[in-house]
Amino acid sequence: QAVVTQEPSLTVSPGGTVTLTCGSSTGAVTSGHYPYWFQQKPGQAPRTLIYDINNKHSWTPARFSGSLLGGKAALTLSGAQPEDEAEYYCLLHYSGPWVFGGGTKLTVL
Amino acid sequence: EVLLVDSGGGLVQPGGSLRLSCAASGFTFSSKWMTWVRQAPGKGLEWVANIKEDGREKYYADSVKGRFTISRDNAKNSLYLHMNSLRTEDTALYYCARPVEGYWGQGTLVTVSS
């Protein structure tokens, strides 16, 4: 199965902007991969933030946005808050099987 | 209110079997694809399997193919994961989920150890 890659860790200053990316070993990430983004804090179940590239849920803060950028899926956080410190996972669909990325540990410091 | 309640986890010896269950409520279970996701201790999320609304299409991660079977009973609003030939590397918290709508169970812990 494909391998999905994410930055292992990133740091952002409070109020700052950061972009997390999600790449595929099979080539460019496209809309056909229906990229999802999840947030997970220690001891909690994952929470779906973004689905199908850039669709948000009612609980997704407006400061999070999804896109396709340079052949990858991207999650941009604009105006980081301390409560955004968490692990972030992307998920790509491969016409049947799904594959998670390894996760990005985001530190707000 | 949407609820997914995972159960059935426990301690099992290598080579053993276990069946996980997920009781769904608060949405039309019979019209939704469903998913199992797992997370080994201190590790990332791993997709395990998907099943179509009517149970006729199923997909598995290579790591579990041939050993795990996903199934559902729409009359009981329940999702299952039958796990055979368990290995120590299957030790994880297993979540029932409908990720696109943000539905996640609380997880049930499976520990494979002698």
Side-chain angles (χ1 to χ4, degrees):
Chain A
Q1 281 171 333
V3 175
V4 175
T5 55
Q6 298 182 244
E7 298 85 0
S9 63
L10 290 170
T11 299
V12 62
S13 300
T17 296
V18 64
T19 297
L20 289 65
T21 67
C22 175
S24 172
S25 63
T26 62
V29 175
T30 69
S31 58
H33 290 100
Y34 305 99
Y36 288 16
W37 290 94
F38 305 91
Q39 178 191 65
Q40 189 179 35
K41 295 182 178 179
Q44 297 182 14
R47 184 170 75 147
T48 308
L49 288 180
I50 301 280
Y51 63 97
D52 295 354
I53 304 176
N54 57 8
N55 291 286
K56 300 180 187 182
H57 284 287
S58 58
W59 55 79
T60 305
R63 58 185 180 273
F64 287 97
S65 62
S67 64
L68 294 178
L69 195 63
K72 296 183 178 182
L75 176 70
T76 300
L77 171 57
S78 303
Q81 301 297 308
E83 61 264 31
D84 299 328
E85 185 161 297
E87 193 83 25
Y88 291 84
Y89 296 93
C90 69
L91 172 69
L92 300 181
H93 297 58
Y94 289 90
S95 300
W98 295 0
V99 182
F100 279 97
T104 295
K105 181 174 175 54
L106 182 65
T107 300
V108 180
L109 190 61
Chain B
E1 180 195 8
V2 170
L3 271 181
L4 294 175
V5 179
D6 303 319
S7 62
L11 175 63
V12 61
Q13 292 189 337
S17 299
L18 211 54
R19 187 186 82 159
L20 306 184
S21 299
C22 170
S25 60
F27 66 102
T28 309
F29 177 79
S30 60
S31 66
K32 310 288 187 185
W33 280 76
M34 293 297 295
T35 297
W36 285 101
V37 172
R38 70 183 180 182
Q39 187 168 34
K43 302 296 184 182
L45 301 175
E46 181 184 13
W47 170 76
V48 174
N50 285 346
I51 185 168
K52 194 178 177 181
E53 300 94 329
D54 59 4
R56 292 185 179 185
E57 278 186 60
K58 304 175 185 182
Y59 299 96
Y60 298 94
D62 287 349
S63 57
V64 307
K65 203 173 294 183
R67 300 186 300 121
F68 290 12
T69 301
I70 188 172
S71 66
R72 64 193 298 162
D73 185 335
N74 287 339
K76 295 182 178 179
N77 287 343
S78 292
L79 179 71
Y80 305 102
L81 187 67
H82 307 257
M83 304 185 295
N84 296 322
S85 303
L86 282 161
R87 305 167 180 168
T88 54
E89 55 264 35
D90 295 318
T91 293
L93 189 59
Y94 284 74
Y95 295 100
C96 159
R98 169 77 183 158
V100 65
E101 292 173 89
Y103 306 159
W104 289 82
Q106 85 286 3
T108 185
L109 181 62
V110 173
T111 303
V112 184
S113 174
S114 54

